[in-house]
């Protein structure tokens, strides 16, 4: 497998990359922390990866998107899967007070991810194959007072991906929306861990399986589908009174 | 956005494998091997003492730092380099032996020394200078370290090896995590042909026979170890089962299909009433009798080295009060060995142990100043925590070990006294020069 990863230093993305390396796949890593990218690239090579390339930059820099996809395609001699993994949770209370911060959260979680998916589509549709896999979140399934900035960005992203999937279907390119529940990663390190938290490795296995099985949308771990089904079914008239 | 807890607000109660003692600490983690320790410490916590925490597979309190700070090494989990010609591997210190083995075994290499579980980190293996079933030929883990990096609370970084910063190297191997944090290490692996071990199992009806077997086997077998029924007495004192093995040399053997491992989980802390002398006696007797008097077979390396890893959280068997592990080494004196008296004392004490292990240590000496193994015989007992009674019996064992000029393993200890530690480890004086002034542990405060 030849995989290009945006936000490669994310814990979930790293777990995916390790599995691809184990199967001797090729990887191209894009992220903003060059030191971490270097040690990841070394690690993935030792773990068995074929070629491992990398590019460094902030993923809100739209002007670089095409260049990254093209360098990856050139480096790996093609691309099978493009994984878009970066994201940022933000601090809800601060976001309510500070529109600049709120703008950044929308930018990272929605604008950057959506436009990277579109840039990826422009490349893959030429070959008429490939998968664009994007990490959304169960938080996008319903707006809640505790994280509606992050949640609404992920919800917008999901809607965008539905449209993109619809557009790309006849062209042979698939779009996978990944919706993890709680995962033990740096993003959630400040939260008290409980039995609902999954390990990044478990989520990574689920992502690769969903890619192989041509899924459109996947909840990870699977039980989140049912949890969110219940949460979505609560009438708004009641929901607005809940402390969630 | 400052989420750091106040000093009075302990955010974690990490445990060691023995689930005793219970402690509270502030827990943070080193984000990468280049991060300075001072940058990992939450704001306002600088005055606490620090200690690295690997996988907490030590039994007692050497990996705990009650009401102080623990620095997790779990993010230091990257491979750096594997030289396929020489078998030298360079890895970050938070990788577990399992991750390393999973990677190197298919490439024809094995770790030079492995303990009874693969869920320990490289850093933990170095800091306790662990030993395995091949101590009589291979020495300790530290004997196979080509170099390591040590970072200290003052921001210094040192590459240490037998040729460079040698004194720091010797202090850090077996240094109980007190010299600073090991960020990476280079290890000389051992060539193997396949993942299989040819194992022989021999039952021995008395401790005398164990000594015969081990004397006879240590020159022919790379791995030897005995399990003892610690509750049988008289003519059957110290009966047990002897295991010996060698790596299989046949390349074709890598084709042998191994059964898919099923990992089970011990679901909850066992209620205390299940742990009594009768259940232990029954278990020990059953274990002895279900092993054939002699058998040779091929086994995969995992069940051979890590039989207990097949059950997650098996330490819950001992209930929420936890258990002690007691491991000592005494000089080799054949049938005069104080081990006879120790087993007799233990069998009569009214305590019990499921897992009593005996092995001879060889003469290969470790570079580590505080390293535990010495030539002789090592005995390990798992003892449920029954409070004062347990402590009294273990103290009486201590006296025998001391009289014999032996010592007790800090990696497994939660109870030895200051006086015992001083007698067991006179090297402490030399070691202390290299201790990081900002580092400490519950163990260290207890024994010094
Ligand atoms: C089932 C079982 C079987 C075992 N069998 C054996 C055996 O056969 N032989 C044997 O010798 N031991 C054995 N042990 C003990 C175990 O191997 C050691 O206690 C080992 O050190 C645990 O490693 P850890 O990564 O869990 O470290 P921890 O227990 O978390 O820490 C151990 C020590 O290492 C230090 N440390 C950890 N990481 C670093 C680092 N990066 N830099 C500096 N210091 C660090 C800690 O501060 C602490 O002092 C066994 C344990 C179990 C549970
Ligand atoms: N953890 C969960 O519970 C959870 C649940 C549902 C969905 N998710 C989603 O899963 C994905 C992966 O997150 P994670 O849990 O693995 O957390 P993580 O390890 O914190 O990863 C987030 C990554 O996003 C990167 N990033 C953020 N803003 C960026 C920017 N402007 N430019 C470049 N990179 C940027 C971060 O880079 P730096 O390392 O350089 O900061 C980091 O690597 C995210 O999309 C997240 O929303 C997570």
């Amino acid at each position: 497998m030849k995989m290009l990863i945006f936000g490669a230093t994310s814990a979930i993305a790293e777990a995916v990359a390790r599995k691809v390396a184990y199967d001797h796949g090729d990887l191209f890593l894009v992220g903003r922390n060059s030191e971490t990218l270097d040690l990841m690239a070394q690690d993935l090579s030792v773990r068995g990866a074929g070629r491992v390339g990398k590019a460094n930059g902030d993923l809100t820099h739209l002007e670089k998107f095409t260049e990254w996809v093209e360098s990856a395609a050139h480096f790996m001699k093609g691309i099978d899967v493009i994984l878009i993994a970066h994201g940022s949770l933000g601090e809800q209370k601060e976001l309510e007070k500070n529109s600049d911060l709120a703008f950044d959260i929308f930018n990272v979680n929605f604008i950057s991810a959506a436009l990277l998916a579109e840039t990826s589509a422009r490349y893959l549709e030429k070959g008429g194959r490939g998968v664009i896999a994007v990490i959304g979140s169960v938080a996008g399934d319903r707006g809640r007072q505790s994280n509606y900035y992050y949640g609404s960005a992920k919800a917008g992203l999901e809607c965008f991906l539905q449209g993109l999937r619809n557009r790309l279907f006849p062209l042979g390119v698939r779009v996978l929306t990944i919706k993890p529940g709680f995962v033990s990663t740096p993003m959630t390190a400040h939260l008290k861990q409980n039995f609902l938290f999954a390990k990044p490795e478990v989520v990574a296995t689920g992502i690769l399986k969903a890619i192989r099985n041509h899924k459109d949308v996947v909840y990870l771990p699977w039980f989140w589908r049912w949890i969110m089904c219940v949460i979505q079914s609560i009438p708004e008239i009641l929901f607005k009174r809940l402390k969630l | 956005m400052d989420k750091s807890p106040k000093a009075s607000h302990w955010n974690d109660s990490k445990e060691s494998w023995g689930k005793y003692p219970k402690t509270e600490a502030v827990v943070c983690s080193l984000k990468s091997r280049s991060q300075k320790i001072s940058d990992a410490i939450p704001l306002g916590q600088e005055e606490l003492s620090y200690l690295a925490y690997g996988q907490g597979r030590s039994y007692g309190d050497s990996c705990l730092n009650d009401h102080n700070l623990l620095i997790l090494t779990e993010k230091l989990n990257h491979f750096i380099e594997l030289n396929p010609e020489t078998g030298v591997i360079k890895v970050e210190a938070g990788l577990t032996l399992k991750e390393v083995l999973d990677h190197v075994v298919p490439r024809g290499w094995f770790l030079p020394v492995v303990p009874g579980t693969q869920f320990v980190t490289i850093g933990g293996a170095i800091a306790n200078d662990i030993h395995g079933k091949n101590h009589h030929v291979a020495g300790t883990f530290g004997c196979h370290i080509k170099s390591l990096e040590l970072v200290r609370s003052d921001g210094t970084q040192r590459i240490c090896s037998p040729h460079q910063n040698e004194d720091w190297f010797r202090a850090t191997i077996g240094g109980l995590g007190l010299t600073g944090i090991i960020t990476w290490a280079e290890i000389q692996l051992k060539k193997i042909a396949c993942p299989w071990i040819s194992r022989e199992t021999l039952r021995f009806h008395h401790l005398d026979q164990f000594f015969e077997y081990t004397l006879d086997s240590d020159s022919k077998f790379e791995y030897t170890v005995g399990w003892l029924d610690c509750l049988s007495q008289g003519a059957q004192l110290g009966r047990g089962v002897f295991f010996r093995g060698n790596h299989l040399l046949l390349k074709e053997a890598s084709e042998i299909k191994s059964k898919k491992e099923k990992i089970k989980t011990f679901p909850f802390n066992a209620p205390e009433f299940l742990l009594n002398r009768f259940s232990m006696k029954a278990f020990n007797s059953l274990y002895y009798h279900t092993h054939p008097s002699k058998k040779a077979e091929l086994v995969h390396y995992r069940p051979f080295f890590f039989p207990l890893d097949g059950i997650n959280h098996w330490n819950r068997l001992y209930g929420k009060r936890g258990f002690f592990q007691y491991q000592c080494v005494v000089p080799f004196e054949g049938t005069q060995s104080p081990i006879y008296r120790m087993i007799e004392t233990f069998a009569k004490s009214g305590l019990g142990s499921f897992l009593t292990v005996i092995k001879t240590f060889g003469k290969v000496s470790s570079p580590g100043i505080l390293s535990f193994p010495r030539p002789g015989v090592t005995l390990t007992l798992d003892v449920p925590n029954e409070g004062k009674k347990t402590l009294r019996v273990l103290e009486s064992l201590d006296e025998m070990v001391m009289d014999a000029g032996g010592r007790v393993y800090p990696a497994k200890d939660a109870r030895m006294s200051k006086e015992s530690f001083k007698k067991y480890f006179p090297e402490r004086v030399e070691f202390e020069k290299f201790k990081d002034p900002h580092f400490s542990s519950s163990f260290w405060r207890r024994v010094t």
Side-chain angles (χ1 to χ4, degrees):
Chain A
M1 182 187 288
K2 299 174 200 287
M3 186 184 273
L4 159 61
I5 308 183
F6 291 107
T9 56
S10 106
I12 296 176
E14 181 167 25
V16 173
R18 286 181 174 185
K19 290 186 196 291
V20 174
Y22 184 82
D23 292 329
H24 309 301
D26 295 330
L27 288 150
F28 195 90
L29 316 172
V30 187
R32 65 177 167 188
N33 185 330
S34 67
E35 200 187 323
T36 310
L37 285 177
D38 287 346
L39 63 92
M40 262 184 79
Q42 243 176 359
D43 172 71
L44 294 167
S45 302
V46 179
R47 283 177 196 264
R51 307 150 152 275
V52 185
K54 51 191 197 277
N56 181 222
D58 192 295
L59 295 177
T60 55
H61 293 169
L62 313 184
E63 67 285 359
K64 303 272 256 187
F65 288 6
T66 311
E67 179 192 322
W68 284 330
V69 174
E70 277 166 6
S71 345
H74 179 74
F75 181 84
M76 296 188 287
K77 303 194 166 59
I79 303 177
D80 301 316
V81 178
I82 300 181
L83 174 67
I84 299 174
H86 61 296
S88 174
L89 193 53
E91 180 71 34
Q92 171 72 25
K93 283 286 161 234
E94 312 238 339
L95 300 176
E96 288 165 19
K97 286 180 240 147
N98 184 333
S99 300
D100 287 337
L101 287 180
F103 181 89
D104 290 344
I105 287 298
F106 290 143
N107 197 8
V108 176
N109 292 301
F110 177 58
I111 300 175
S112 150
L115 296 182
L116 270 171
E118 191 65 74
T119 311
S120 303
R122 278 201 293 274
Y123 169 80
L124 290 177
E125 69 189 66
K126 284 188 282 189
R129 55 179 288 280
V131 181
I132 303 171
V134 186
I135 309 189
S137 170
V138 295
D141 280 3
R142 187 134 198 193
R144 291 174 299 131
Q145 60 175 312
S146 57
N147 71 351
Y148 59 84
Y149 282 88
Y150 174 78
S152 63
K154 292 288 193 186
L157 182 61
E158 173 155 26
C159 181
F160 183 92
L161 294 173
Q162 282 167 349
L164 186 67
R165 178 180 302 117
N166 194 196
R167 172 170 97 69
L168 293 177
F169 178 74
L171 303 175
V173 177
R174 287 181 289 114
V175 176
L176 167 67
T177 308
I178 301 152
K179 302 216 265 181
F182 292 124
V183 192
S184 306
T185 70
M187 186 178 278
T188 54
H190 61 289
L191 301 175
K192 189 128 190 85
Q193 308 274 308
N194 58 38
F195 69 96
L196 286 172
F197 278 77
K199 290 204 170 112
E201 296 76 44
V202 173
V203 173
T205 305
I207 292 177
L208 287 167
K209 194 168 153 208
I211 291 173
R212 270 198 312 275
N213 294 349
H214 300 208
K215 283 270 186 345
D216 296 321
V217 181
V218 64
Y219 283 86
L220 291 172
W222 58 272
F223 55 78
W224 280 97
R225 181 162 168 207
W226 304 106
I227 297 181
M228 296 324 291
C229 183
V230 171
I231 291 189
Q232 281 174 317
S233 67
I234 302 173
E236 192 67 13
I237 190 157
L238 261 175
F239 199 81
K240 69 181 179 196
R241 292 162 214 265
L242 300 178
K243 288 209 160 54
L244 282 169
Chain B
M1 188 173 43
D2 178 15
K3 295 201 189 84
S4 63
K6 303 206 170 50
S8 58
H9 183 163
W10 310 108
N11 63 359
D12 213 311
S13 43
K14 284 260 174 281
E15 282 184 337
S16 72
W17 195 247
K19 293 181 169 289
Y20 176 91
K22 311 282 182 214
T23 62
E24 297 176 306
V26 172
V27 171
C28 63
S29 80
L30 210 57
K31 299 208 171 41
S32 75
R33 65 175 182 262
S34 58
Q35 192 184 28
K36 283 210 157 55
I37 294 178
S38 54
D39 295 337
I41 307 301
L43 269 162
Q45 311 294 324
E46 298 80 1
E47 292 314 307
L48 300 174
S49 72
Y50 316 153
L51 185 72
Y53 183 92
Q55 287 288 327
R57 251 45 180 206
S58 301
Y59 281 83
D61 54 1
S62 67
C63 62
L64 300 174
N65 202 8
D66 194 21
H67 289 118
N68 280 280
L69 202 126
L70 287 175
I71 304 175
L72 308 191
T73 59
E74 61 187 4
K75 298 221 171 67
L76 307 186
N77 63 1
H78 297 93
F79 287 91
I80 303 172
E81 206 179 340
L82 170 62
N83 182 325
E85 264 84 60
T86 59
V88 174
I89 193 166
K90 187 173 175 186
V91 291
E92 289 185 350
L95 269 178
T96 62
L97 302 195
K98 177 181 188 324
E99 290 164 296
V100 176
L101 286 172
D102 285 351
H103 180 69
V104 301
V105 169
R107 290 165 173 78
W109 299 99
F110 204 75
L111 282 166
V113 169
V114 294
T117 171
Q118 49 178 349
F119 299 119
V120 308
T121 64
I122 297 291
I126 297 173
N128 276 324
D129 197 18
I130 58 162
H131 56 270
K133 296 179 175 61
N134 59 352
H135 185 274
H136 59 284
V137 288
T140 61
F141 197 77
C143 298
H144 307 270
I145 301 296
K146 311 272 293 180
S147 66
L148 57 84
E149 182 184 66
L150 178 70
V151 300
R152 308 255 297 174
S153 62
D154 60 9
T156 53
Q157 288 166 287
R158 282 188 186 80
I159 295 182
C160 312
S161 77
H163 320 290
Q164 190 183 357
N165 292 313
E166 190 213 341
D167 42 356
W168 292 95
F169 184 70
R170 295 182 54 237
T172 300
I173 290 180
L176 302 170
L178 298 167
T179 59
I181 297 185
I182 304 159
T183 51
W184 55 257
E186 264 188 317
I187 307 158
Q188 175 65 58
L189 301 173
K190 171 190 161 60
K191 190 112 201 100
I192 54 166
C194 66
W196 298 89
I197 305 282
S198 64
R199 172 174 77 182
E200 288 182 24
T201 309
L202 304 162
R203 222 157 58 182
F204 52 92
H205 55 76
H206 191 272
L207 197 54
D208 289 347
Q209 206 180 6
F210 163 78
F211 283 109
E212 281 166 32
Y213 282 165
T214 195
L215 277 179
D216 174 53
S217 308
D218 283 0
S219 57
K220 297 177 222 145
F221 290 85
E222 185 172 351
Y223 301 105
T224 63
V225 69
W227 169 88
L228 288 187
D229 173 352
C230 63
L231 296 177
S232 65
Q233 302 184 34
Q236 298 203 310
L237 180 79
R239 67 177 180 183
V241 186
F242 189 71
F243 301 97
R244 56 191 192 188
N246 282 316
H247 287 282
L248 191 66
L249 295 174
L250 297 173
K251 203 144 194 106
E252 308 82 71
S254 55
E255 306 299 316
I256 304 175
K257 281 263 176 305
S258 59
K259 274 189 279 177
K260 187 149 170 62
E261 287 161 282
K262 281 204 201 89
I263 309 259
K264 302 190 179 70
T265 295
F266 205 90
F268 46 77
N269 285 322
E272 260 116 48
F273 68 85
L274 280 180
L275 288 169
N276 54 47
R277 209 167 152 76
F278 300 102
S279 62
M280 301 228 201
K281 215 169 163 98
F283 172 83
N284 276 276
S285 187
L286 197 71
Y287 190 89
Y288 178 77
H289 287 291
T290 48
H291 278 82
S293 56
K294 187 162 184 183
K295 185 175 179 189
E297 68 206 310
L298 282 188
V299 289
H300 192 266
Y301 76 85
R302 281 191 211 107
F304 181 77
F305 291 110
F306 317 118
L308 290 166
D309 286 354
I311 307 169
N312 282 332
H313 298 297
W314 63 260
N315 53 348
R316 290 178 180 162
L317 165 70
Y318 291 97
K320 43 174 200 299
R321 289 166 70 180
F323 66 111
F324 294 101
Q325 186 159 98
Y326 186 84
Q327 180 171 6
C328 62
V329 56
V330 290
F332 193 84
E333 292 169 48
T335 49
Q336 301 306 306
S337 172
I339 299 282
Y340 284 82
R341 274 200 305 137
M342 294 178 72
I343 297 177
E344 216 167 345
T345 308
F346 191 76
K348 289 193 181 129
S349 71
L351 299 180
S353 163
F354 287 111
L355 202 74
T356 309
V357 175
I358 185 165
K359 148 131 204 89
T360 46
F361 279 159
K363 296 206 175 71
V364 185
S365 74
S366 158
I369 299 176
L370 276 191
S371 176
F372 160 71
R374 285 289 175 273
V377 189
T378 180
L379 177 75
T380 311
L381 299 152
D382 268 3
V383 197
N385 175 15
E386 295 176 48
K388 285 218 175 71
K389 176 172 144 197
T390 313
L391 291 171
R392 257 200 319 274
V393 175
L394 298 182
E395 268 152 34
S396 67
L397 298 184
D398 261 354
E399 277 166 29
M400 293 182 223
V401 174
M402 241 179 272
D403 285 346
R407 52 193 2 199
V408 168
Y409 193 7
K412 311 256 178 109
D413 182 71
R415 42 143 302 274
M416 75 166 90
S417 65
K418 281 191 180 45
E419 295 68 39
S420 317
F421 182 70
K422 209 165 157 185
K423 283 232 174 79
Y424 295 147
F425 292 91
E427 301 84 354
R428 174 196 143 186
V429 183
E430 186 192 352
F431 171 78
E432 246 167 327
K433 289 181 266 183
F434 302 99
K435 189 184 156 289
D436 188 312
H438 231 107
F439 276 60
S440 183
S441 65
S442 290
F443 173 82
W444 194 249
R445 289 190 291 278
R446 181 162 58 76
V447 300
T448 57

